[in-house]
Amino acid sequence: VAPLFDENACRFREGADDLEGLAASIQSVLLWISSNDSSAANRVLAVQSIQANEDTIPHIIERIMDVDSKVREAAIELLRTGVSPENLDEDQKIEILQSGLTKRCTKTHAKTVQLITCNWLKAAKFDPIKLLDSLNPVLNETVCDKVVRVLLEVAPKLDCETSICNNLGEPELRSLKQQMTKKRCLVQDEETPLNASLAYFLRIKCDTSDNKSDAIFEAVDDIPSLCNLLNAQTDKLIEFNESDSYDDLDEDEAAEFEDNQNFICLQLIHMASASELQEEGSRRHFISIIRSMLSRLATPDDLVDACVKSLASAHDSESHFLQTISEVLADVEDDDTFHSRDHDEKAVIIVRQMRIIAILSIVLESLSGQMVSHPILEGFFQHLSPAITSKNAVVREHGVICLSKFCLLSPEDKLLDEFMPLLMTIAGSVEERVEVRVQSLLALSDLALIHENLLA
């Protein structure tokens, strides 16, 4: 490295005109030192000396993963003081947050919180919704979860003497606190569509609140209103999928709209579940809405898992939950409102079977061992058996996977008399696809681990 500096010094003394080339050469040396020098002190000095620009930002972000905490802090400080949030793209921001908001180093974590509050949030006029818009919570939910929880945690504790916000004046701190604590409603007006970042922020706020019901009622009038909003959002998504507008958009635009609407619906479901549904009328209304969503084949698959789990939490016993699921499965089989885009009846049958498998798989995973031999549970096999014997290989594969879960909640005599021979037949069939046979063998292995004498 020393010869490089000597060469640059000679060029400067000789009055070289290429000052830009000289600066670029020095910059490349600093970047090399910041990444490769064995001395942490040298790496810190090199990072502090780097000129932040479009070319060097990726290198600075990379230093947030340095083994030494002082180098990490120097890199974050340079991003705070030398880089405007507008000069960072979404991926770069997410990479910074993933590396900086770590529990392994409190100093790095604190420095990253300072970057968020004193730079990024300030650039968004301390509006957390605008900040989330720039981070895209639909695609980066895990990172955004950390950001919102950190902001909600630190905002009430901030003052002029706090080291995190020593670069903010008293009016800015007051504005930050007001923005973080002010009452926000899910629905602004009838013409403004529900914002994904707003729904996400309010959901996290409800999760972290000591009084979840009060936090929800700040966002919406009551649980029935929240359920109606959920129903309206789901209808909006289904209408889009069935309308000509879907064909008018390119594939990426259509997927983006669907992901956004699915994300909003998931936040509303989580908010309703978080309210604990203590009032009987609200609980029944919520169960009715979720049951209606699950019964419609047009409801997006991405919502099924959250719907089933929220339905389970809304019931006071597993027996009542099973009864509702039994009614849902019957409704799914009777639903004749769904039509595939090419009006293929075979495609509709496959969608119906996959929806039944999806619901049953989640239900079986959530039940306790006390439900073994429950009559309603045993009746679920009649809904599952058509999938196992389907002509579609993908449906059969998922049907066998679901059967393996069903077997775990079945009495041993039923396993020996019915399910073991069925699984053995599938596993031994040379005409069956390998993927289906493998799932059958995995099911037999699981059963052998639980029932020691099953394969004796």
Side-chain angles (χ1 to χ4, degrees):
V1 176
L4 290 174
F5 276 115
D6 291 341
E7 178 186 348
N8 290 325
C10 290
R11 289 172 60 194
F12 186 76
R13 283 195 299 268
E14 292 171 3
D17 320 291
D18 188 13
L19 294 180
E20 289 185 5
L22 177 62
S25 179
I26 294 174
Q27 191 85 289
S28 65
V29 173
L30 291 172
L31 292 174
W32 188 93
I33 295 173
S34 68
S35 301
N36 300 288
D37 198 292
S38 59
S39 169
N42 288 348
R43 295 201 303 277
V44 170
L45 290 172
V47 169
Q48 291 172 341
S49 303
I50 293 172
Q51 181 182 4
N53 55 45
E54 184 179 352
D55 296 326
T56 60
I57 285 175
H59 298 279
I60 299 169
I61 294 174
E62 186 180 307
R63 289 303 87 218
I64 304 178
M65 294 181 282
D66 195 280
V67 295
D68 191 271
S69 63
K70 292 183 179 180
V71 179
R72 297 196 294 268
E73 290 176 54
I76 297 172
E77 179 66 14
L78 179 57
L79 290 170
R80 186 184 71 79
T81 58
V83 180
S84 171
E86 290 78 15
N87 295 330
L88 296 170
D89 60 34
E90 179 186 312
D91 291 338
Q92 289 174 330
K93 290 181 179 179
I94 296 303
E95 187 177 356
I96 291 168
L97 295 172
Q98 286 175 332
S99 303
L101 291 179
T102 173
K103 294 181 179 180
R104 292 178 295 177
C105 179
T106 55
K107 292 181 179 179
T108 303
H109 187 278
K111 207 69 178 175
T112 307
V113 173
Q114 187 179 30
L115 170 67
I116 297 170
T117 53
C118 298
N119 190 319
W120 296 0
L121 195 59
K122 181 178 179 180
K125 298 182 179 179
F126 300 105
D127 185 349
I129 310 304
K130 289 183 179 179
L131 175 61
L132 284 176
D133 285 339
S134 69
L135 298 177
N136 194 352
V138 178
L139 299 180
N140 306 299
E141 184 174 355
T142 303
V143 172
C144 291
D145 183 277
K146 292 181 181 180
V147 172
V148 175
R149 291 179 187 275
V150 162
L151 291 177
L152 290 171
E153 180 183 355
V154 303
K157 307 173 185 177
L158 296 178
D159 54 50
C160 292
E161 298 179 358
T162 306
S163 59
I164 290 177
C165 287
N166 53 13
N167 295 288
L168 296 178
E170 188 172 339
E172 291 174 321
L173 283 173
R174 187 163 54 249
S175 177
L176 190 157
K177 290 181 180 180
Q178 288 174 350
Q179 286 286 350
M180 292 301 301
T181 58
K182 82 172 188 178
K183 181 178 178 180
R184 300 176 189 273
C185 296
L186 274 169
V187 182
Q188 307 295 329
D189 54 67
E190 295 183 358
E191 296 182 357
T192 305
L194 185 54
N195 180 275
S197 297
L198 175 61
Y200 185 71
F201 178 81
L202 292 175
R203 198 268 290 179
I204 299 296
K205 189 175 181 180
C206 292
D207 285 348
T208 57
S209 174
D210 294 332
N211 192 323
K212 292 180 171 56
S213 296
D214 288 349
I216 289 174
F217 294 144
E218 282 186 9
V220 68
D221 293 336
D222 49 35
I223 297 300
S225 298
L226 180 59
C227 293
N228 293 337
L229 183 58
L230 169 62
N231 199 38
Q233 286 294 132
T234 307
D235 288 342
K236 180 180 178 181
L237 179 54
I238 293 174
E239 289 172 5
F240 170 76
N241 288 333
E242 295 176 347
S243 69
D244 295 334
S245 300
Y246 185 92
D247 296 323
D248 294 338
L249 297 175
D250 63 40
E251 188 175 340
D252 292 338
E253 290 176 331
E256 182 180 356
F257 181 85
E258 287 183 88
D259 290 343
N260 190 67
Q261 293 302 310
N262 281 329
F263 184 81
I264 292 173
C265 290
L266 288 173
Q267 306 316 307
L268 298 179
I269 292 171
H270 289 314
M271 284 182 66
S273 300
S275 68
E276 300 175 358
L277 302 170
Q278 296 176 347
E279 201 272 316
E280 181 66 18
S282 298
R283 188 176 67 85
R284 289 187 177 183
H285 189 77
F286 176 72
I287 291 175
S288 175
I289 292 293
I290 296 297
R291 174 183 166 178
S292 174
M293 289 176 62
L294 284 173
S295 300
R296 299 169 66 182
L297 291 176
T299 299
D301 294 335
D302 292 340
L303 302 181
V304 173
D305 183 87
C307 284
V308 173
K309 290 178 179 178
S310 63
L311 200 59
S313 65
H315 286 80
D316 54 4
S317 70
E318 289 185 316
S319 296
H320 292 155
F321 172 54
L322 285 179
Q323 179 61 45
T324 301
I325 291 297
S326 178
E327 295 168 359
V328 167
L329 294 176
D331 291 341
V332 170
E333 293 187 340
D334 295 338
D335 182 20
D336 58 359
T337 61
F338 177 78
H339 300 285
S340 64
R341 287 191 167 271
D342 53 3
H343 301 285
D344 185 358
E345 290 301 321
K346 292 182 180 179
V348 175
I349 293 174
I350 292 174
V351 171
R352 179 177 286 109
Q353 290 175 335
M354 291 299 289
R355 175 57 54 84
I356 289 173
I357 292 171
I359 294 173
L360 280 177
S361 294
I362 302 164
V363 170
L364 294 170
E365 289 173 2
S366 65
L367 292 176
S368 67
Q370 297 176 349
M371 291 293 103
V372 173
S373 301
H374 193 284
I376 296 180
L377 180 60
E378 292 184 356
F380 284 170
F381 185 70
Q382 67 177 347
H383 300 288
L384 178 58
S385 57
I388 300 172
T389 57
S390 171
K391 293 181 179 181
N392 185 283
V394 175
V395 175
R396 290 200 306 276
E397 181 181 352
H398 285 84
V400 171
I401 294 173
C402 188
L403 175 61
S404 67
K405 300 173 184 178
F406 187 81
C407 290
L408 298 176
L409 291 170
S410 300
E412 191 167 334
D413 58 338
K414 202 171 186 68
L415 284 175
L416 290 171
D417 296 339
E418 296 184 31
F419 301 139
M420 280 289 295
L422 176 59
L423 290 170
M424 293 288 284
T425 301
I426 296 172
S429 175
V430 294
E431 297 178 354
E432 183 57 89
R433 290 186 61 170
V434 174
E435 294 85 354
V436 182
R437 296 174 68 186
V438 167
Q439 293 301 331
S440 182
L441 288 171
L442 288 173
L444 289 169
S445 301
D446 291 340
L447 294 173
L449 291 172
I450 297 174
H451 305 279
E452 296 180 359
N453 300 322
L454 203 60
L455 298 178

